Amino acid sequence: MGAPSTMSEGTTQEPTALKRIPHDLAVALDPEAHDAHDRQWTPLKIIIWSAISLLGGLSWVMLAVVRGETVNAIWFVFAAICTYLIGYRFYSKFIEKHIVRPDDRRATPAEYKADGKDFAATDRRVLFGHHFAAIAGAGPLVGPVLAAQMGYLPGTIWIIVGVVLAGAVQDYLILHFSMRRGGRSLGQMARDELGVIGGTAALIATLVIMVIIVAILALVVTNALAESPWGVFSVGMTIPIALFMGCYLRFFRPGKITEISIIGFVLLIAAIVGGGMVNGTEWGQTYLLLDKVTIAWGIIIYGFIAAILPVWLLLAPRDYLSTFMKIGTIGMLAVAIVIIRPEINVPAVSGFATTGTGPVVAGTLFPFLFVTIACGALSGFHALIASGTTPKLIQKERQTRFIGYGGMLMESLVAIMALVAALSIDRGIYFAMNASPALTGGTVQGAVAFVNGLGLTGVNLTPSMLTDMATNVGEESIVSRTGGAPTLAVGLSHIMQQLVGGTSMMSFWYHFAIMFEALFILTAVDAGTRVARFMLQDSLGNFFPKFKNTSWRPGAWAATAIMVAAWGAVLLMGVTDPLGGINTLFPLFGIANQLLAAIALAVCMAIVAKRGLFKYLWVVALPLGFASVVTISASFLKIFSTTPGIGYFAQNRAFSEALAAGETSFGTAPSVLAMEAVVRNTMVQGVLSIVFVVLAIIVILTAIQATWNAYRKNSSATSEDDAVQSQTYAPAGFIMTPPEKVLQAQWDALPAEKKIKVTGH
Amino acid sequence: MTLWAGVRAGARGVIWYLKGLLGEDAYEKYVAHHAASCETDTAGLDRAPHPLLTEREFWRDQTDRQDKNPQGRCC
């Protein structure tokens, strides 16, 4: 095994050598029995699906048409879940039948390359959780919060419809295609399908995008921890806790992961409670009340050290904690929303959707809504995960629908809940928290004047609302706490305190939420730096062969330092930006993520075309077209717009001219130094936008060319690995269908010595 | 009695799931794989049978492999 992948120019005809019953029992369901079960609409099935459709329809009517004074949060949850169920049952099955065409007679890499370590068949339900934990992070929690300024409806529609038609399709296809290629990465698949130019552009784009994504995630956590002794203490304590866990697993009780995760979780809660005590002390106020720049430097230094330390010491244990917190908190929030059912008092579509003058993120609904909410609807970053670990762990081919498509639906549900949490807080408070300090002056008075001056109906902010909320959540101030994380934390604490603890518990819930987001982000920062470092070393190795050896310490440290310097520079730029940081940089994050999605979908399109499935090409072309239009037009606006609030170069010109005219303050920049910073920042951001869009256009064009060539040649080639006979069986979805139950029962009854047939080594 | 049995089965299920999710069952899976593949290994071919790693060695090897092959975490 482990032979280099072969480009077999075979056809997609069913490999006839594969047997459905290789030995004692069938390894795949009889296709006819399976289809018959799918087509058989029993009265019970009809009733269930009618009920789901009716409830979903009713929920959408409540959200989109009725629009009373307020709308109940439960309709968001119902609209989402019912739409997901319908999308999963009908659309993903359509894709499975016509494009993916899984064949359970074929062994998966986990079977034919089995090594008991990296390639190991994993129970589908466990792998679903595993995959979900790897794809869902801070992204789906932050984007929807920022997009809430446009009203609740645009974000809701994009998250729910986008995931069904685009995000989940991308994850599903990439996962399946990578699995059919022995777990090959997105970069390798791009080279195979798009050739050297497209493949190289995809690789560079991935590297640059990774830097941007890490930088902006770090910016979110910096904004959440600045001026917050409590947050600094509790998040800072995660480092010693993780080190302790790492040593425990290494030296004391290897492999006892659940045990140490529970101990770690208890310590984490203690750190949150301890943070509250530290917050009250003079010591805490003196040493832990840090400004943004200090925190940013802290994260940069931390990021470098964390990325060169061995995995067992910091990354692996924190990953366990993060998984634990993720599943727990998301479950808790779901239960709380269903029980509390908060009323939401926000217009369906706000004026900012059309004027593009929203203080949170600049720009009109099209295209900026679709880049502000990336994760949760369509996230290109998932393509890296879906072509990483997960395809090497899948037991049977038919399971990719549940894990790939289903896993993304779960992330989308998280995004909907984050949106609900952000919408449930008072709108005045929402804008006071998310408007940049350049607009509010960072003071309560300034924030009140700014928010009330926006002229929003039903919004009447008073200073005491802001100071009371700050006291309740245990912070100095909640004015201009941009980045989305603090807003989500206020929303979560607002919902949770109604369930547990009342107002006195709000500060605990707030810092619990901050801790939970910081954990994800720090893990993503550390892991992202490592992955980027390996990619850089791989590329540098083409010129300096020594860099290829990833165990060579000086090379590893130098490559790590370069990557940390790259994202650190963007982070510092965001932190010190006189224009506010998040509102200028966040669109770059979304654009980067969606461009990666366009690249992933372009690869999928080329694969589908080469297999000759032109009749169903629209399944991929539709989301690809949409992602391309959105990201390219957003990039063009960022590059060419003459409105300084939107176009980077327009902003650059405005400030340059002011400087040339000898002015000492301009717009929100109070000094010449600040004005020079704006000129520098906008230039960097503008150049990055150009790099992204050029790379993405190259990739998309090469994909279109590959598709066209395939069409002309009437191709039916495949770059898949050769089919290997499977010897095992497992059901496909979360719940077994009746035919699956019958077959599984037969396998369960089979004597153990006949069960395991391993072909790998 | 049946309720108690149900609770116990449920708790076992939750523990099984958690352990799987966090990857605690990796060593068991490795041992099972090793046991199954050894028969075919020693049955001939050119491959020398590789010795079973102890639990401690296995976990060290696992994190060392992660060091060499980092996996991204999503945003």
Side-chain angles (χ1 to χ4, degrees), chain A residues 118 125 134-135 258 319 534, chain B residues 17 24 65 68 73-75:
Chain A
D118 297 320
R125 293 156 296 188
I135 60 171
T258 312
D319 213 17
F534 273 72
Chain B
Y17 192 80
E24 184 163 339
R65 270 181 292 120
K68 291 194 195 79
R73 283 279 158 178
C74 200
C75 28

Side-chain angles (χ1 to χ4, degrees), chain A residues 205-523:
Chain A
T206 311
L207 191 61
V208 183
I209 284 166
M210 210 145 203
V211 168
I212 287 295
I213 287 178
V214 168
I216 290 163
L217 287 175
L219 181 60
V220 168
V221 89
T222 305
N223 281 357
L225 297 184
E227 319 291 343
S228 168
W230 188 334
V232 169
F233 178 82
S234 52
V235 173
M237 284 305 286
T238 61
I239 299 170
I241 293 172
L243 294 176
F244 163 70
M245 290 170 66
C247 292
Y248 184 96
L249 282 174
R250 184 82 169 184
F251 305 114
F252 188 48
R253 282 169 71 80
K256 298 287 180 263
I257 298 170
T258 312
E259 173 185 301
I260 192 62
S261 299
I262 292 169
I263 297 173
F265 178 73
V266 172
L267 291 174
L268 220 54
I269 299 297
I272 299 173
V273 175
M277 296 171 185
V278 169
N279 195 31
T281 63
E282 195 154 325
W283 172 81
Q285 294 294 331
T286 317
Y287 295 106
L288 297 178
L289 188 71
L290 305 172
D291 64 7
K292 282 185 187 176
V293 178
T294 314
I295 304 252
W297 274 108
I299 291 177
I300 292 169
I301 294 167
Y302 163 84
F304 178 75
I305 295 174
I308 57 172
L309 281 180
V311 163
W312 64 265
L313 190 54
L314 191 58
L315 186 120
R318 207 191 29 222
D319 213 17
Y320 299 138
L321 273 184
S322 162
T323 306
F324 218 81
M325 287 282 276
K326 197 173 287 183
I327 308 285
T329 314
I330 289 169
M332 186 179 81
L333 184 61
V335 170
I337 287 177
V338 171
I339 295 177
I340 304 294
R341 297 188 300 278
E343 284 293 327
I344 286 169
N345 191 3
V346 169
V349 184
S350 82
F352 298 132
T354 45
T355 60
T357 53
V360 183
V361 184
T364 49
L365 191 145
F366 185 87
F368 289 105
L369 171 75
F370 305 100
V371 294
T372 306
I373 301 178
C375 308
L378 171 63
S379 171
F381 218 88
H382 292 187
L384 302 181
I385 314 284
S387 63
T389 317
T390 313
K392 297 174 186 156
L393 303 176
I394 291 176
Q395 241 175 335
K396 297 297 284 180
E397 290 210 336
R398 299 182 66 86
Q399 293 172 350
T400 48
R401 185 172 73 99
F402 169 54
I403 292 162
Y405 199 96
M408 181 60 193
L409 292 181
M410 276 293 281
E411 184 185 85
S412 181
L413 185 61
V414 173
I416 285 290
M417 290 192 299
L419 183 69
V420 166
L423 291 168
S424 72
I425 64 175
D426 180 84
R427 244 177 126 220
I429 294 180
Y430 169 83
F431 281 107
M433 291 186 75
N434 286 292
S436 78
L439 300 171
T440 61
T443 62
V444 170
Q445 296 307 328
V448 169
F450 172 75
V451 171
N452 289 337
L454 286 171
L456 303 167
T457 43
V459 172
N460 187 17
L461 191 62
T462 60
S464 65
M465 285 163 77
L466 291 175
T467 48
D468 286 352
M469 182 59 89
T471 315
N472 284 342
V473 299
E475 288 289 282
E476 302 284 311
S477 159
I478 56 165
V479 172
S480 292
R481 303 303 300 268
T482 57
T487 312
L488 178 71
V490 167
L492 187 133
S493 68
H494 175 73
I495 292 174
M496 286 309 295
Q497 58 97 6
Q498 297 176 53
L499 196 64
V500 187
T503 323
S504 59
M505 278 281 277
M506 267 186 95
S507 56
F508 174 81
W509 289 121
Y510 176 87
H511 286 95
F512 184 84
I514 292 288
M515 159 80 89
F516 145 86
E517 292 180 90
L519 263 182
F520 294 178
I521 292 182
L522 293 179
T523 308

Side-chain angles (χ1 to χ4, degrees), chain A residues 114 117-118 121-122 125-126 129-130 134-135 137-139 250-251 255 257-258 311 319 382 385 389 534 756 761, chain B residues 16-17 19-22 24 29-30 33 36 47 56 59-61 63 65-68 70-75:
Chain A
K117 295 171 179 174
D118 297 320
T122 304
R125 293 156 296 188
V126 171
H130 212 276
I135 60 171
R250 184 82 169 184
F251 305 114
I257 298 170
T258 312
V311 163
D319 213 17
H382 292 187
I385 314 284
T389 317
F534 273 72
I756 308 163
H761 78 95
Chain B
W16 167 81
Y17 192 80
K19 286 190 168 181
L21 194 61
L22 293 168
E24 184 163 339
K29 278 164 75 178
Y30 163 75
H33 169 82
R47 231 181 281 130
R56 191 171 285 259
W59 289 107
R60 288 200 170 200
D61 174 62
T63 45
R65 270 181 292 120
Q66 284 176 21
D67 259 327
K68 291 194 195 79
Q71 288 303 323
R73 283 279 158 178
C74 200
C75 28

Side-chain angles (χ1 to χ4, degrees), chain B residues 6-67:
Chain B
V7 169
R8 278 185 38 177
R12 262 202 306 275
V14 170
I15 292 170
W16 167 81
Y17 192 80
L18 257 183
K19 286 190 168 181
L21 194 61
L22 293 168
E24 184 163 339
D25 58 356
Y27 185 65
E28 287 162 38
K29 278 164 75 178
Y30 163 75
V31 171
H33 169 82
H34 196 270
S37 62
C38 261
E39 300 160 3
T40 54
D41 266 7
T42 46
L45 302 178
D46 51 349
R47 231 181 281 130
H50 26 107
L52 183 73
L53 298 174
T54 67
E55 198 170 354
R56 191 171 285 259
E57 286 166 349
F58 172 81
W59 289 107
R60 288 200 170 200
D61 174 62
Q62 198 203 32
T63 45
D64 292 349
R65 270 181 292 120
Q66 284 176 21
D67 259 327

